Amino acid sequence: MRIVPFVISGISTLALVTVLNMQLPAGASKTPRLGYFLSPQLGFWQNAEAVNADFNANIKAKDLKGKVDVYMDGRLVPHIYADNDLDAYYVQGFIHAKFRLWQMEFLTHVAGGRLSEIVGKDKLLTDRFFRRLGMVYGAEQTLASMNHDPEMKATIESYTKGVNAYIESLRPEQLPFEYKLLDYKPEPWTPLKTYLFLMFMSYDLTARGATTDLQMTNAKNYFGFTDIEQLYPNVQDSLDPIIPKGTVYGRPSIIPQVPKGVDTAYLEKNAIPKFTAFNMPDVPAPDKENGSNNWAVSGTKTQSKRPILCNDPHLGLNLPSLWFELQITTPTHNTYGASFPGSPAVIIGFNDSIAWGVTNAGRDVIDYYDIKFKYSTMQEYFYNGAWIKAEHRTETIKIKGEPDLVENIAMTVFGPVMYDRSYHNISTDGKYLAIHWTAHKASTGVQAFYKLNRAKNYSDYLSAIDNWTCPGQNFAFASKTGDIAIKQQGSFIARWKHQGDFIMPGTDSSYQWQGMIPSSENPMIKNPLRGFVSSANQKSTDTTYPYYLGASNSFPLYRGIQINRKLTGMNNITPLDMQQMQTDNYNVFAEQARPYLLRFIDKKALTDNEKKYVSILENWNLRADPKEQGSTVFNSMWDSLEVAVWGDEFRRSKLPLPWPDKSTLLESMIKGTAFWFADNIDTDDKKETIGDDVMTACKKACAKLTLLEKEGKLDWAVYKDTRINHLLSIPALSRLHLPIGGGVNIINATTETHGPSWRMIVQLTDEIEAYCVYPGGQSGNPGSKFYDSFVDYWAAGKYYRIVFIKKAEAATSAKMKWHISFINS
């Protein structure tokens, strides 16, 4: 009878082993393989890093030409010293992978439409979107082009070898936590992955994203062209452009020809609104607030008599952070700043001669064309009076636990057909929409930063950024020799007015792009008399610039006004002044809007409770500091007013429409013009005015504020509730409920999940004085104390003094805590 318990025990053990080696259902997802994940020897326990972890190491690498020394300071910032550039980029790749491997690969899976491989069919819609958008296609074009540039090819390949050297050194227990959680392993890095990552940044920073033209077409069909020009005006009245008003521009070298019949065939100026629209799938869209601030102040306005450059790019707040801080020193350059894990070189930073920083230009570089195919097989399409044979591109999407999905994408003269009968919805009415995007052309973005890292002066800066194509950026510059400058750089289409604002006819070449604006004609200024240059994603020029820049709803207005106002009034500026300015919470939009709210509030018609909140608004200091309740009251009332004015019309469309900018409503109130949108079309008994809408908004906001106060959420930071999410949105790996002020239209543009992703201040004295901070930490390992070690400093508006140090000093400096030596094996 002893055999029976033995058999039962054996079967139970076998069943337990089998179960623990399986992914089990858990709601809409699955658990990791629990046996592996919970294993003390191999599982997540091994990712716990000792507080006093030792990062010293001696590494033998077969692909190095010489010796490389890496000194790590107390913040885990690597200072890389190499005898040649390729060895430096090899080690940069190794270090990026050592501290950020999972993040690097995960983001390239997003860009390449490969999330379904690792998380299953729930991400299929996202994968299809990015595949059909042409992300892989664009990266392949850049890869093919870079293979003809020996210097860049060698740079990317050396970086790739460094990443792979680290991957090959990994033992199973050393795999980053997220690989164990999702139950997959890293694959070899390739140059294509670097270009996929840069394609992802091109998409994320394309302010007019891949659905904006569709939404604008919805709005044109729904409202009609006349209302479109009111809702999305070409220029805001309050615009303070990047290039100061009054600048004289030369004659354009390209004058695009407007197609015949454009008013009726495209703009449909006389058409009756259709009140129908295109629907779009629920896809990841770039945050409209993806912007940034940068400015450079001349020595004529600083205490040191030397320029100071400042930059804080505003992006989604995530852990691990988008940025990785480092210094790279070789015989050709000595550069410090923020790098992208996944790409070589420093992206935003300084060297021993110059500093640079970037903001988003907001220019439209994506267009859609309505294609006419002969048959649903998409073999031929009509173009310039003839049927043209379409090429086809096959994209295979692997799905975890499911059969592969094969995308058959037709290719046209414009680009890939993103929407067709296999990727559509009922509102597209069988249309075929091809996408034309400047990022589909081979990019030379890597060269831009490669050369900026080595730039010594203004001429070098111009030569470097001429390589930048997509997305458009505003490159601010300052040098030790005293020069400051800013240039809006990118591959920009020479457009006729409204070209590309809506879906365009694709049956002939008349709506095709007619040329790219020469780089020499892009907006720029050097050493202006006012003593500073700046940008905050506002329109770069006034209407005297000879090229069409696009509708104003792509260009935030108010941060630029406040930055220029403050810099104009400042003298004897110090780096501390710049820190205080970067973290300034003053709301210039509220300064302009509050008087017009209060003008229409009839206190006699309010309850005592409502009067209390109006009193808070009246006495508010216009700052969005963490404890300010006035900021919560103002934002609640303004948001409520926008709903009162726009909501009735927008709700009836039942399809996505672009919400008008805050400036559209405010400037109509300032001008006092008759505004038919103020009337509530849901009521028949009266015609509402803007005054009626303000009172409605005030009462609704006060009801909301009463509830917020009961919940203890009236303080601005509590109401705004800023958080930094882990890339997998796992709360335990995120930083939640951060006590930080700021917000939309404020220099400190910190919102709920978006904000300054890297703050940098560089004073170009003989010995450079620089400061920085970012909302994250150097390590991507949630089990490391360096995972989020900068977050509290960032939230408090504090900075770290940058250690920009020569190799001889680094070897003996008390600021250096660890040394990693790389030698040829």
Side-chain angles (χ1 to χ4, degrees), residues 248-260:
V248 178
Y249 301 99
R251 290 180 57 82
S253 57
I254 301 175
I255 302 177
Q257 299 302 305
V258 181
K260 293 180 181 179

Side-chain angles (χ1 to χ4, degrees), residues 208 256-257 259 266-267 364 367 369 493-502 504 510-514 548 550:
R208 286 179 61 87
Q257 299 302 305
Y266 173 59
L267 300 179
D364 184 7
D367 288 337
Y369 290 86
I493 303 122
R495 299 181 180 275
W496 37 269
K497 188 176 181 181
H498 294 303
Q499 183 182 10
D501 288 354
F502 318 107
M504 292 188 286
S510 61
Y511 288 82
Q512 179 63 285
W513 297 349
Q514 298 176 31
Y548 180 61

Side-chain angles (χ1 to χ4, degrees), residues 558 587 589-590 592-598 617 631-646 659-670 690 693-694 697-698 701 705 745:
Y558 297 99
N587 191 331
F589 170 73
Q592 296 184 18
R594 180 171 62 176
Y596 293 92
L597 279 177
L598 295 174
L617 177 63
S631 186
T632 305
V633 173
F634 170 76
N635 280 275
S636 297
M637 288 194 178
W638 188 266
D639 290 348
S640 188
L641 176 60
E642 288 191 348
V643 171
V645 173
W646 311 124
W659 196 256
D661 279 354
K662 293 180 183 298
S663 60
T664 300
L665 178 54
L666 175 57
E667 293 190 348
S668 72
M669 294 173 72
I670 292 174
I690 193 67
D693 287 349
V694 169
C698 177
L705 291 164
N745 299 314

Side-chain angles (χ1 to χ4, degrees), residues 644-760:
V645 173
W646 311 124
D648 48 331
E649 289 85 8
F650 278 64
R651 276 193 300 271
R652 286 196 177 187
S653 81
K654 300 189 184 302
L655 291 168
L657 302 175
W659 196 256
D661 279 354
K662 293 180 183 298
S663 60
T664 300
L665 178 54
L666 175 57
E667 293 190 348
S668 72
M669 294 173 72
I670 292 174
K671 288 184 287 191
T673 53
F675 208 55
W676 78 263
F677 284 99
D679 180 39
N680 187 344
I681 60 175
D682 294 330
T683 61
D684 298 325
D685 55 334
K686 64 174 293 188
K687 185 177 180 65
E688 286 82 7
T689 65
I690 193 67
D692 296 323
D693 287 349
V694 169
M695 285 300 294
T696 297
C698 177
K699 287 184 170 290
K700 288 187 176 180
C702 287
K704 174 185 175 182
L705 291 164
T706 301
L707 293 175
L708 289 172
E709 189 169 19
K710 289 179 180 178
E711 296 169 357
K713 296 181 178 179
L714 209 55
D715 287 359
W716 176 238
V718 178
Y719 174 74
K720 178 163 64 79
D721 198 21
T722 295
R723 64 183 184 272
I724 307 175
N725 284 329
H726 183 269
L727 285 170
L728 294 177
S729 298
I730 300 172
L733 305 184
S734 306
R735 288 295 303 271
L736 309 176
H737 316 303
L738 294 172
I740 186 170
V744 176
N745 299 314
I746 296 168
I747 294 177
N748 177 19
T750 306
T751 61
E752 183 181 3
T753 59
H754 190 272
S757 62
W758 162 258
R759 290 184 178 131
M760 180 186 76

Side-chain angles (χ1 to χ4, degrees), residues 283-500:
V283 296
D287 193 310
K288 184 179 178 180
E289 299 303 321
N290 276 355
S292 309
N293 305 318
N294 65 8
W295 61 83
V297 183
S298 164
T300 61
K301 291 179 73 69
T302 66
Q303 190 176 88
S304 67
K305 308 305 179 187
R306 293 292 187 86
I308 300 176
L309 182 138
C310 307
N311 190 199
D312 55 301
H314 307 154
L315 296 166
L317 302 177
N318 290 304
L319 288 170
S321 170
L322 175 69
W323 302 105
F324 184 85
E325 189 179 343
L326 51 68
Q327 178 180 355
I328 301 176
T329 302
T330 78
T332 66
H333 68 299
N334 182 17
T335 308
Y336 193 108
S339 66
F340 283 147
S343 179
V346 167
I347 306 302
I348 297 173
F350 62 93
N351 60 33
D352 45 19
S353 300
I354 73 157
W356 72 94
V358 297
T359 67
N360 213 15
R363 300 276 286 275
D364 184 7
V365 293
I366 291 180
D367 288 337
Y368 280 97
Y369 290 86
D370 189 356
I371 305 299
K372 179 181 177 181
F373 280 101
K374 193 171 187 178
Y375 303 112
S376 61
T377 55
M378 300 185 294
Q379 298 300 314
E380 295 177 277
Y381 62 97
F382 194 73
Y383 184 72
N384 281 343
W387 291 104
I388 307 297
K389 183 177 175 61
E391 296 181 0
H392 285 258
R393 177 181 176 85
T394 299
E395 297 259 2
T396 301
I397 302 176
K398 296 183 180 299
I399 308 168
K400 190 173 186 177
E402 303 279 344
D404 295 350
L405 175 70
V406 178
E407 295 280 0
N408 177 32
I409 303 171
M411 303 295 290
T412 70
V413 294
F414 304 104
V417 175
M418 184 170 180
Y419 293 95
D420 57 25
R421 292 192 178 182
S422 72
Y423 185 73
H424 69 100
N425 56 72
I426 57 173
S427 295
T428 57
D429 196 26
K431 288 185 178 291
Y432 299 87
L433 300 180
I435 186 170
H436 200 181
W437 184 16
T438 56
H440 286 159
K441 298 182 182 298
S443 169
T444 51
V446 174
Q447 289 99 314
F449 295 115
Y450 181 90
K451 292 184 176 181
L452 272 174
N453 283 208
R454 293 157 175 75
K456 299 298 182 186
N457 50 45
Y458 172 74
S459 178
D460 289 347
Y461 148 80
L462 285 184
S463 175
I465 67 173
D466 269 353
N467 290 280
W468 186 256
T469 55
C470 181
Q473 298 287 290
N474 302 303
F475 284 85
F477 163 85
S479 72
K480 279 188 175 181
T481 57
D483 288 326
I484 61 171
I486 194 166
K487 182 177 182 181
Q488 187 165 97
Q489 181 58 32
S491 186
F492 299 124
I493 303 122
R495 299 181 180 275
W496 37 269
K497 188 176 181 181
H498 294 303
Q499 183 182 10

Side-chain angles (χ1 to χ4, degrees), residues 485-539:
I486 194 166
K487 182 177 182 181
Q488 187 165 97
Q489 181 58 32
S491 186
F492 299 124
I493 303 122
R495 299 181 180 275
W496 37 269
K497 188 176 181 181
H498 294 303
Q499 183 182 10
D501 288 354
F502 318 107
I503 296 169
M504 292 188 286
T507 53
D508 61 53
S509 55
S510 61
Y511 288 82
Q512 179 63 285
W513 297 349
Q514 298 176 31
M516 311 307 287
I517 299 172
S519 176
S520 60
E521 296 178 31
N522 285 337
M524 70 90 55
I525 192 167
K526 176 188 178 186
N527 295 331
L529 292 177
R530 65 183 184 177
F532 67 89
V533 297
S534 74
S535 71
N537 318 114
Q538 75 269 45
K539 238 174 189 171

